[in-house]
Amino acid sequence: MFLFTPPTAEQLKTFLESQTRQPLTYTAEGATRLAAALPDGYTVDHRRVALGSGETVFRRACAALRRWEMFNLGWLTCHPRATPIEAGQVVAIVPWHFGFWSLNACRIVYVIAEERRFGFGYGTLPAHVESGEERFLIEWEASTDTVAYDILAFSRPAHPLTQLAYPVTRLFQWRFAADSGRAMRRAVVAGEGIPEG
């Protein structure tokens, strides 16, 4: 769905309701969780950003992921921002593209909640210009004490405009990966609402 003005709360509500029961647009559900069995025929993107070290950084990074801070970019937002990180939850990803906005629906397909790893993967629904899955992961490495933000995705165009403008689509994907990492770094430094003890 393409718009020439930012979507209203009512448009977002209607959009999300229309996508809640829709099927995923790809068959390899959960493939980004293991990362070893990504499907053929898709473009794979992987980016890992060091956020710092130690338990405090890990807790702050996990809290930032729960607040969807990786989408706090100005040119791209996630709605609703209060969506809990739970399998089955549907969100609208809303990027601004050179004068217009698009609404893209994704469903959380799995959650990782371990002692040193926290994250989730979401997959595309029919109202999305791409088809595929993306994983967002916070990992606290035991051997180095480093905390990293890791994005892994596989995707391919699912809309004619995306196919026609594929080089531009790739620029937006690269930009998201870079800006998302910077947003997570900012959130960790700010450490909003995270007790230090």
Side-chain angles (χ1 to χ4, degrees), residues 32-103:
T32 55
R33 182 175 198 144
L34 299 176
L38 299 178
D40 294 330
Y42 291 82
T43 299
V44 174
D45 290 299
H46 183 222
R47 187 175 186 97
R48 191 170 180 88
V49 178
L51 300 176
S53 60
E55 184 176 0
T56 297
V57 171
F58 177 69
R59 288 178 184 270
R60 287 179 174 176
C62 291
L65 204 69
R66 286 187 183 96
R67 295 191 312 268
W68 299 82
E69 288 294 330
M70 64 282 203
F71 288 96
N72 189 10
L73 307 182
W75 64 273
L76 183 143
T77 56
C78 174
H79 300 275
R81 283 289 297 273
T83 299
I85 306 300
E86 298 172 356
Q89 294 287 337
V90 175
V91 293
I93 309 303
V94 186
W96 179 83
H97 317 265
F98 307 115
F100 66 94
W101 287 259
S102 66
L103 295 180

Side-chain angles (χ1 to χ4, degrees), residues 16-25 90 105 107 124-127:
L16 288 168
E17 287 172 352
S18 75
Q19 293 298 298
T20 297
R21 292 182 179 83
Q22 294 294 321
L24 297 170
T25 59
V90 175
R107 177 182 294 123
T124 56
L125 295 169

